[in-house]
Amino acid sequence: FENGGYIYKMNASDRRPVKVDVTLAADNIYARSEVKNVSDYVSSVSVSHDGARLAVTARGEVFDVPATKGVTRNITRSAGAHERDAEFSPDGKHIAYISDASGESEIWMQPSEGGDPVQMTKNNGAYIRTIMWSPDSKKIAYIDMRNRINLLDVASKRVEKLVEDPAGEPRGFNFSPDGNWLTYTRTADNEFSIVYVYNIAQKKEYPVTDKWYSSSSPAFSEDGKYIMFSSQRDFNPVYGSMEWNHIDTSMGAPYNAIHSKDTPSPLLGKDPQVNEKKEEPKKDDAKKDGESAVTVNIDIERLADRIVRLPVGTGRYYNFYGNNDRIYYYSGGKTKVFNLKTQKEDEVADGMMFVAPGNKKAIISNRNKSYVVDVPSGKASLGDQVDLSNMVATVDYAEEWPQIFNEAWRI
């Protein structure tokens, strides 16, 4: 008979129940380790500053993959740990990633040319969501499940808490091109997202938008003039089909917040100039490695009054990047670009485009295919896709299963 999940037998003469030990002999075929191609399990991709190699995260491992020709390397080889969100440093010297190899979610780093992994944070005390390098490669900002934005100094490994929100996790954070500011969103008490900027040196936070409209996906333009973001503030009501009431089905559009009160709106009309003297292009002053040619100054007073809407249709917009009078964004399954001078929108490519701060190379990803290209000014010429077929990992299920269990409870 069964009792409490166990099988017992009882002799009718003495009426003593005896537990029956059941042993099943099996080949454990589903627990055997195997070498597996993981190219179909890509979760993140980051390109080096010269576009020669990519840091690809797939099925909990980090791979250093050539953009064209070369050797694919698994740089973590850790079946019992989960590596996530690998990112090349802007100077191309290191690859940082999130790992629970220590038993907790921490930031790790490896030299891109090869070397031993280094644990950069210890006793963080919360699951780390995402990381981002500063443009000078000296700091890493990250968000964790304690609703904090932290700043890690790479040289000293010292961690500084910048922001902690009791209401929820900050989202969509990005560095300014000079590395002195952060922008991100936090949720207001009415559950609308507000765009903020944070001055790292002054340790002060300022709102860019207000709580009347939900805003998201903020990013600084590379020229330091604007904060680009999406906002739900277009009202085009239609009557619903189920009741006699109006609804708004598409409210999102891209917006620019102009940093300086002395910078005119990029959408102002201009008269044609007669016999205009062409200015000689200025030669950039020599800059040290990692030093930005742009200094970002934001006039906080009346910043919300300097928000302009790009004249494009409504929809869902995110993943912004801006440079050289061009604003790039993802919408409707495509990457598009809006030219501030011609005030026209062009399609760049199917899929999403990613550009690291200060980088001249872009990754365009679509349906698990990645292409490395120069940042396009219009329609992108994709060429050959990055070959991920050599991404193989040794999968040890006996090590993976405890890690999966522990991570599920950690989250």
Side-chain angles (χ1 to χ4, degrees):
F1 62 93
E2 180 271 338
N3 181 29
Y6 297 99
I7 297 175
Y8 292 83
K9 64 180 180 179
M10 186 174 67
N11 192 314
S13 61
D14 58 15
R15 298 185 179 183
R16 291 177 54 198
V18 179
K19 182 179 176 182
V20 177
D21 293 325
V22 179
T23 302
L24 298 177
D27 292 330
N28 294 325
I29 59 173
Y30 296 110
R32 293 176 180 175
S33 61
E34 63 175 317
V35 177
K36 191 180 186 71
N37 188 296
V38 297
S39 58
D40 290 334
Y41 301 90
V42 173
S43 56
S44 70
V45 181
S46 170
V47 67
S48 62
H49 68 297
D50 57 2
R53 301 194 68 86
L54 294 85
V56 182
T57 312
R59 207 182 182 283
E61 301 280 12
V62 178
F63 294 85
D64 186 358
V65 179
T68 52
K69 295 181 180 180
V71 178
T72 296
R73 299 189 292 268
N74 183 345
I75 66 172
T76 49
R77 295 181 180 274
S78 54
H82 183 194
E83 276 79 36
R84 300 180 284 119
D85 298 329
E87 291 285 340
F88 259 106
S89 61
D91 61 10
K93 296 179 179 179
H94 295 92
I95 297 174
Y97 53 90
I98 305 167
S99 175
D100 58 5
S102 66
E104 293 295 338
S105 177
E106 305 286 359
I107 296 176
W108 292 67
M109 189 173 72
Q110 290 194 32
S112 58
E113 296 298 325
D116 295 329
V118 178
Q119 185 176 343
M120 302 301 295
T121 61
K122 293 184 179 180
N123 303 317
N124 184 68
Y127 189 83
I128 298 175
R129 287 289 193 189
T130 186
I131 62 175
M132 174 167 285
W133 283 93
S134 64
D136 61 5
S137 302
K138 295 180 180 179
K139 299 181 185 298
I140 298 175
Y142 66 95
I143 295 175
D144 63 27
M145 283 190 64
R146 286 189 177 177
N147 306 340
R148 300 176 299 190
I149 299 179
N150 297 317
L151 191 65
L152 166 67
D153 182 86
V154 173
S156 66
K157 300 183 183 179
R158 188 175 68 89
V159 176
E160 177 185 5
K161 182 180 72 174
L162 302 182
V163 176
E164 185 170 10
D165 187 348
E169 290 181 25
R171 297 187 182 276
F173 71 145
N174 279 286
F175 274 101
S176 62
D178 61 359
N180 294 328
W181 298 79
L182 281 170
T183 183
Y184 48 87
T185 63
R186 292 200 293 111
T187 304
D189 52 10
N190 64 349
E191 298 186 359
F192 279 3
S193 294
I194 298 176
V195 174
Y196 288 87
V197 290
Y198 185 93
N199 188 304
I200 296 174
Q202 298 177 359
K203 295 180 172 54
K204 289 186 178 180
E205 179 188 68
Y206 305 95
V208 177
T209 61
D210 52 45
K211 66 178 184 180
W212 294 108
Y213 313 100
S214 189
S215 304
S216 60
S217 303
F220 288 91
S221 62
E222 289 293 302
D223 57 13
K225 293 181 179 179
Y226 314 111
I227 296 172
M228 309 159 291
F229 61 95
S230 176
S231 190
Q232 306 282 323
R233 55 180 74 190
D234 271 56
F235 294 89
N236 300 291
V238 297
Y239 278 111
S241 59
M242 300 299 294
E243 58 180 296
W244 187 247
N245 202 351
H246 71 271
I247 56 175
D248 289 281
T249 59
S250 183
M251 300 174 59
Y255 290 81
N256 280 1
I258 303 171
H259 292 172
S260 173
K261 60 185 178 182
D262 298 323
T263 300
S265 167
L267 303 179
L268 288 177
K270 295 181 180 179
D271 292 325
Q273 299 294 322
V274 180
N275 297 326
E276 182 179 9
K277 184 179 179 180
K278 294 184 179 180
E279 294 184 4
E280 293 292 330
K282 295 181 180 180
K283 295 183 179 179
D284 294 335
D285 295 332
K287 297 288 181 180
K288 298 179 181 179
D289 289 342
E291 186 177 350
S292 174
V294 174
T295 300
V296 176
N297 294 306
I298 302 178
D299 294 326
I300 298 299
E301 186 177 359
R302 304 191 68 177
L303 177 58
D305 294 337
R306 300 195 298 275
I307 293 175
V308 295
R309 181 192 188 281
L310 300 188
V312 295
T314 57
R316 295 184 62 193
Y317 293 86
Y318 46 98
N319 193 45
F320 288 91
Y321 171 77
N323 200 7
N324 298 327
D325 297 310
R326 291 180 173 87
I327 307 297
Y328 300 79
Y329 42 79
Y330 179 79
S331 180
K334 302 176 184 292
T335 294
K336 302 176 182 179
V337 58
F338 183 84
N339 190 312
L340 294 174
K341 288 185 176 180
T342 64
Q343 298 191 20
K344 292 183 179 180
E345 181 187 65
D346 292 313
E347 182 181 318
V348 175
D350 291 335
M352 190 174 293
M353 184 179 80
F354 303 92
V355 186
N359 211 333
K360 302 302 181 185
K361 293 290 185 177
I363 302 173
I364 296 178
S365 296
N366 184 34
R367 297 178 181 176
N368 215 26
K369 296 180 180 179
S370 295
Y371 305 85
V372 177
V373 298
D374 293 325
V375 177
S377 59
K379 185 74 174 179
S381 177
L382 298 183
D384 296 332
Q385 71 181 74
V386 177
D387 182 11
L388 304 179
S389 62
N390 293 317
M391 289 173 45
V392 294
T394 300
V395 179
D396 190 328
Y397 294 102
E399 290 189 22
E400 277 194 354
W401 292 336
Q403 184 280 325
I404 293 171
F405 179 85
N406 291 333
E407 184 173 20
W409 281 101
R410 187 183 300 120
I411 294 174

